[in-house]
């Protein structure tokens, strides 16, 4: 039986966000005869909790279902099955009208800052739009937008400029300001720095960390760069082919990864010490990830796993506590070294 997802909240504290058995299956492609192929299970039954003020990093290769998960959390995509409970209320099947008052507490920051901003609107309108939807007057919304620009490190006097007049890093700050407009409790950040230069990435990460401390925000931070995830996260969940294969506090996961896939991902992260970089083992995975339209039986990682045995080919491993008294969960028949 799958272990109950854990959080870093206090004993008995209800999670801010509770995800249970969440799945997303997209229709298969149409064939030449008009029929559809097998559905693509982009997310295949994931569960986790998130405490108030906590950051959960969600990592994995491209196509593993990270971004799809993030969009389901804020109801930009409708899940095929499972549930998302926010602050004690199941929001999975709420109508758009019933969901609207809750949206002020659930916001998202997107990967490409320029494509997520309307090029025909001024920054004032972009940031204040969520407030206008919530019933704010135009004057109050504009004043709030100027305050938010200053909060994220932009010049309020530039409020009437258009997105193309800002650099990539500045545009992402505008996106962050927009997400903060309604004073949310949870922000889903979908690869928020991957489209930026390395020097600008550090500035945005530092900004998000400061905002979390000052505003008490919780983040689901989606990324493929494990060094960035380590910098911002309290806990980390590793996804492979739509499933979480390992989840736990970042220190134990980075210091002692238990799933072979986690070990392979971490072995590719550059080390700042050249001597240590030369000494360590680099784990190279064979082949490409299988198609989510036709996943292999048993453990979906077994075709690429150097430790795979017969049980891995026939029986799907469930997330379970890795060690007695530990909070880390691993979906592997043979976790550890």
């Amino acid at each position: 039986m799958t272990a109950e997802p854990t959080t870093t909240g206090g004993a008995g504290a209800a999670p801010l966000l509770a995800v249970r058995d969440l799945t997303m299956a997209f229709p298969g492609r149409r064939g030449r005869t008009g029929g559809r192929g097998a559905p693509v299970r982009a997310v295949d039954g994931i569960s986790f909790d998130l405490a108030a003020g906590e950051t959960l990093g969600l990592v994995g290769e491209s196509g593993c279902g990270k971004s799809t998960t993030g969009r389901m959390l804020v109801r930009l995509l409708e899940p095929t099955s499972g549930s998302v409970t926010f602050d004690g209320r199941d929001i999975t099947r709420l109508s758009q009208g019933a969901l609207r008052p809750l949206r002020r507490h659930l916001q998202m920051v997107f990967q490409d800052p320029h494509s997520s901003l309307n090029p025909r609107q001024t920054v004032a309108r972009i940031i204040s739009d969520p407030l206008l939807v919530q019933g704010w007057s135009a004057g109050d919304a504009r004043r709030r937008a100027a305050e938010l620009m200053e909060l994220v490190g932009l010049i309020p006097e530039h409020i009437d400029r258009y997105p193309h007049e800002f650099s990539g890093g500045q545009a992402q700050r505008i996106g962050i300001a927009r997400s903060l407009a309604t004073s949310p409790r949870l922000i889903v950040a979908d690869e928020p720095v991957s489209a930026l230069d390395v020097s600008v990435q550090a500035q945005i990460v530092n900004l998000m960390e400061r905002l979390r401390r000052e505003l008490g925000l919780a983040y689901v931070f989606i990324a493929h760069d494990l060094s960035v995830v380590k910098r911002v996260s309290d806990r980390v969940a590793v996804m492979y082919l739509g499933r979480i294969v390992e989840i736990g506090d970042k220190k134990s996961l980075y210091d002692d990864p238990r799933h072979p896939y986690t070990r392979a991902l971490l072995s590719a992260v550059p080390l700042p010490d050249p001597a240590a970089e030369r000494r360590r083992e680099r784990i190279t995975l064979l082949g490409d990830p299988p198609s989510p339209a036709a996943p292999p039986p048993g453990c979906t990682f077994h075709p690429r796993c150097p430790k795979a045995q017969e049980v891995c080919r026939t029986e799907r491993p469930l997330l379970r506590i890795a060690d007695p008294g530990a909070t880390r969960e691993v979906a592997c028949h043979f976790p550890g070294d």
Side-chain angles (χ1 to χ4, degrees):
M1 185 174 179
T2 304
E4 187 70 12
T6 56
T7 73
T8 57
L16 176 66
L17 183 73
V19 177
R20 295 292 180 270
D21 300 319
L22 198 63
T23 67
M24 183 70 211
F26 294 103
R29 292 183 177 179
R30 288 191 181 276
R32 294 181 178 178
T33 60
R36 286 193 178 275
V40 177
R41 296 183 68 86
V43 178
D44 193 10
I46 67 171
S47 300
F48 62 87
D49 286 347
L50 181 73
E54 181 188 17
T55 296
L56 175 70
L58 199 57
V59 301
E61 292 172 288
S62 296
C64 71
K66 308 184 301 294
S67 294
T68 300
T69 298
R71 282 163 168 75
M72 286 192 290
L73 297 182
V74 297
R75 284 284 304 276
L76 293 181
L77 286 176
E78 300 295 331
T80 302
S81 62
S83 65
V84 178
T85 301
F86 177 75
D87 200 20
R89 185 173 182 182
D90 187 346
I91 66 171
T92 321
R93 307 301 171 195
L94 287 182
S95 67
Q96 289 300 320
L99 185 62
R100 179 171 292 178
L102 294 175
R103 283 201 181 277
R104 66 185 300 267
H105 302 297
L106 288 162
Q107 294 294 321
M108 192 162 187
V109 175
F110 297 92
Q111 176 178 358
D112 187 338
H114 280 294
S115 66
S116 66
L117 304 177
N118 190 331
R120 298 182 179 181
Q121 291 184 348
T122 64
V123 172
R125 183 58 188 265
I126 289 171
I127 298 176
S128 62
D129 255 351
L131 298 172
L132 298 174
V133 171
Q134 295 290 334
W136 284 50
S137 70
D140 288 343
R142 181 181 174 86
R143 282 188 287 273
R144 173 65 171 159
E147 293 172 358
L148 290 169
M149 286 190 68
E150 188 170 11
L151 180 65
V152 300
L154 296 173
I155 300 174
E157 287 74 15
H158 294 168
I159 196 170
D160 291 315
R161 292 187 177 183
Y162 289 85
H164 73 271
E165 299 180 75
F166 295 88
S167 67
Q170 290 172 328
Q172 192 61 290
R173 289 174 188 266
I174 295 170
I176 293 171
R178 176 179 58 186
S179 73
L180 295 174
T182 57
S183 301
R185 300 180 64 191
L186 169 65
I187 291 179
V188 176
D190 184 13
E191 303 262 14
V193 298
S194 63
L196 306 176
D197 293 338
V198 174
S199 60
V200 180
Q201 287 182 12
Q203 296 172 18
I204 298 299
V205 167
N206 290 337
L207 169 65
M208 296 185 71
E209 273 288 276
R210 175 174 65 81
L211 293 173
R212 181 176 78 144
R213 292 193 305 269
E214 294 178 358
L215 304 178
L217 298 169
Y219 290 130
V220 174
F221 195 98
I222 299 168
H224 63 270
D225 188 331
L226 276 80
S227 58
V228 171
V229 170
K230 185 178 183 180
R231 169 71 177 83
V232 302
S233 300
D234 300 304
R235 289 187 305 135
V236 177
V238 181
M239 287 188 69
Y240 183 80
L241 208 66
R243 301 173 183 173
I244 292 178
V245 297
E246 186 165 4
I247 183 171
D249 70 276
K250 69 175 179 183
K251 186 178 189 311
S252 64
L253 188 142
Y254 277 75
D255 291 348
D256 183 25
R258 296 303 184 88
H259 196 282
Y261 179 61
T262 310
R263 291 172 58 85
L265 287 181
L266 290 175
S267 76
V269 178
L271 298 177
D273 183 351
E277 177 71 24
R278 288 192 296 269
R279 289 194 303 269
R280 74 165 175 174
E281 176 191 8
R282 175 69 186 272
I283 301 173
T284 303
L285 297 177
L286 301 177
D288 297 320
S291 168
C299 174
T300 54
F301 185 61
H302 85 257
R304 308 173 72 193
C305 181
K307 299 173 59 177
Q309 301 185 30
E310 186 58 34
V311 66
C312 305
R313 299 177 177 88
T314 58
E315 184 178 333
R316 173 180 173 175
L318 301 178
L319 277 173
R320 63 180 187 272
I321 299 295
D323 299 301
T327 59
R328 185 148 40 129
E329 299 169 73
V330 184
C332 181
H333 293 300
F334 306 101
D337 295 331

